[in-house]
Amino acid sequence: MTTEQKEFVRATVPVLKEHGVALTTYFYNRMLTHNPELKNVFNSANQRTGAQPTALAMSVLAYAEHIDNPGVLTQAVGRIAHKHVSLDIRPEQYAIVGKHLLASIREVLGEAAGPELMDAWTAAYNQLAQILIGAEANLYQGSVDKEGGWSSWRPFVVRQKVRESAEITSFYLYPTDGGKVADFLPGQYITVRLFVPELNVLQPRQYSLSCAPNGNYYRISVKRESGDQQRPAGYVSNMLHHQVQEGAILEVAPPAGDFTLDMDKTSPAVFISGGVGLTPFMSMLEYLIQAGKDRPITWIHGCRGYEVHAFKDTVSELSERHGVMSVHTFYDQLEDQTQDNYYEGYVDLSKVKDAIVPQADYYICGPGIFIKKHFDYLRSEGVDASAIHFEEFGPAILVVA
């Protein structure tokens, strides 16, 4: 990109801050109207709630703000690349997205979108597309190169379906071809794709792998999303709970994701989860114990109560096997006030202050407000930001961590 083009892109930052979500909402409506086949790629719930347009708006803004040095977005680009690979996004689809994104900029900005501005954004989009395509090509190749690895979609059969709590059920997935499954890093996810009759489209959903790598099967543990006034009931999660039974065939994409356990570290690990956010930590915990790692572990989990507390007994058993692990549980309402290491109310790290040590690595998974609360608390206690790792389930965003 030329210096002048970068200046034009930077000049749109105020507009993106004020009208970015309106622009990206228009873009998605335009693209899915002209290319309805892409409805099979995008999460319809994230479209309805505005999560996907908001994520894209924040990403476009971040890219515009750092147009002089997109290298600072490397980590964020990697996260988006993982998400794209999990959805089987291919290079040719970038042309479709670019066509509608640039047309949306022109149509929404009107006369303000002069030829120089459009040339600048065309160059900017092409630059970003090439960065992502390159990163995704490496991830696709890495998946194929693994023993038991593959690219795109592969059929798996549900061999076991196990109820873990009133809301969460585990699915044990084995490849229908009888082959091996690729290993993964504890904390990664797979994408499951189902045809949703109500929408008349395929719908992909990412679910954290909740078991240690084993070469034979994957386990996902899915919360049934009942819905509320803010968010509709989950099409795919309800289909998995109510319609998908043992013996059913599901399409699965290879493991992806960069929220992973550093398997070489020996420092204490603190896992902090809310609700279904404990699923990637089950993979990390099982791996550490099966591998015989003597890394000290602190397990901090919060949920509404006993009935919705998944893996309670499993975590207790693993804790006893590990020997250097402490477990702390928070319930909204605590019926038995005499249980050790059980607390009433939301997760409050000040109540387990002995576990907050500067040399530990912290992993947080839950809703955005949950992550921010605990991130801010850890920073106030002197924990370095580089030691705090977190993941919020939802669309990937191009921002500087």
Side-chain angles (χ1 to χ4, degrees), residues 76-376:
V77 166
R79 178 158 292 190
I80 290 179
H82 275 279
K83 185 73 75 169
H84 284 181
V85 168
S86 79
L87 295 169
D88 197 32
I89 300 295
R90 297 293 171 171
E92 57 270 20
Q93 291 173 313
Y94 278 90
I96 298 173
V97 172
K99 171 186 172 182
H100 292 293
L101 181 60
L102 295 170
S104 297
I105 293 173
R106 186 182 304 108
E107 292 164 12
V108 170
L109 297 186
E111 293 181 0
E116 295 90 349
L117 178 67
M118 294 311 304
D119 286 346
W121 265 107
T122 298
Y125 175 79
N126 288 337
Q127 174 179 273
L128 179 58
Q130 290 306 311
I131 292 172
L132 286 167
I133 289 170
E136 289 156 22
N138 290 334
L139 292 175
Y140 281 122
Q141 191 61 52
S143 291
V144 172
D145 289 344
K146 292 179 181 178
E147 181 182 6
W150 75 98
S151 179
S152 191
W153 303 98
R154 184 180 180 187
F156 278 66
V157 61
V158 179
R159 288 268 185 90
Q160 285 180 278
K161 182 177 179 180
V162 179
R163 186 177 186 267
E164 307 290 1
S165 76
E167 295 179 334
I168 296 175
T169 293
S170 288
F171 298 80
Y172 290 73
L173 309 177
Y174 290 75
T176 59
D177 55 32
K180 294 287 187 181
V181 298
D183 276 347
F184 57 91
L185 297 175
Q188 289 192 304
Y189 55 82
I190 56 173
T191 303
V192 171
R193 187 168 72 166
L194 293 177
F195 180 77
V196 179
E198 297 95 320
L199 302 175
N200 201 35
V201 294
L202 291 163
Q203 282 289 276
R205 293 293 186 274
Q206 285 87 19
Y207 296 110
S208 294
L209 290 155
S210 61
C211 62
N214 56 69
N216 296 313
Y217 67 86
Y218 295 136
R219 183 179 72 187
I220 57 173
S221 302
V222 180
K223 179 187 176 185
R224 184 185 69 254
E225 298 290 351
S226 300
D228 52 35
Q229 292 182 342
Q230 284 74 42
R231 189 175 182 88
Y235 284 113
V236 175
S237 70
N238 278 279
M239 285 184 67
L240 286 167
H241 274 257
H242 299 305
Q243 299 178 33
V244 172
Q245 304 301 330
E246 293 179 357
I249 306 298
L250 304 177
E251 289 187 300
V252 176
D258 64 349
F259 177 67
T260 57
L261 180 71
D262 187 328
M263 296 186 286
D264 295 324
K265 283 196 171 183
T266 58
S267 57
V270 181
F271 300 125
I272 307 165
S273 60
V276 75
L278 88 170
T279 51
F281 300 148
M282 290 303 302
S283 175
M284 297 181 185
L285 179 60
E286 285 191 6
Y287 166 78
L288 286 171
I289 293 174
Q290 290 180 13
K293 305 283 186 179
D294 58 359
R295 188 175 184 181
I297 299 171
T298 301
W299 182 275
I300 303 169
H301 178 64
C303 59
R304 296 197 310 278
Y306 178 81
E307 290 298 317
V308 296
H309 188 174
F311 296 108
K312 177 180 180 296
D313 294 337
T314 303
V315 170
S316 178
E317 177 189 341
L318 292 173
S319 172
E320 292 177 4
R321 284 174 52 190
H322 189 51
V324 284
M325 175 176 170
S326 61
V327 179
H328 304 271
T329 305
F330 290 78
Y331 287 162
D332 289 3
Q333 290 187 322
L334 190 60
E335 295 181 4
D336 184 353
Q337 302 282 346
T338 65
Q339 289 181 288
D340 291 338
N341 296 335
Y342 275 76
Y343 315 85
E344 186 166 83
Y346 299 133
V347 174
D348 182 352
L349 297 183
S350 68
K351 294 183 178 180
V352 290
K353 205 162 186 177
D354 289 347
I356 310 305
V357 292
Q359 66 269 30
D361 271 278
Y362 297 85
Y363 295 84
I364 312 173
C365 189
I369 191 170
F370 178 92
I371 293 170
K372 186 178 187 310
K373 171 187 173 182
H374 302 307
F375 182 91
D376 290 346

Side-chain angles (χ1 to χ4, degrees), residues 6-67:
K6 292 178 181 178
E7 286 296 331
F8 273 111
V9 170
R10 262 195 305 272
T12 61
V13 166
V15 176
L16 293 173
K17 286 183 176 178
E18 186 174 357
H19 304 294
V21 175
L23 171 63
T24 53
T25 300
Y26 179 92
F27 153 72
Y28 278 114
N29 288 334
R30 188 187 202 282
M31 182 173 67
L32 295 178
T33 298
H34 287 82
N35 292 87
E37 72 278 5
L38 294 180
K39 292 179 181 178
N40 294 290
V41 175
F42 291 100
N43 183 319
S44 63
N46 288 336
Q47 292 292 328
R48 289 197 305 275
T49 62
Q52 188 71 58
T54 300
L56 178 60
M58 292 177 65
S59 296
V60 172
L61 173 61
Y63 183 54
E65 289 178 323
H66 297 90
I67 195 66

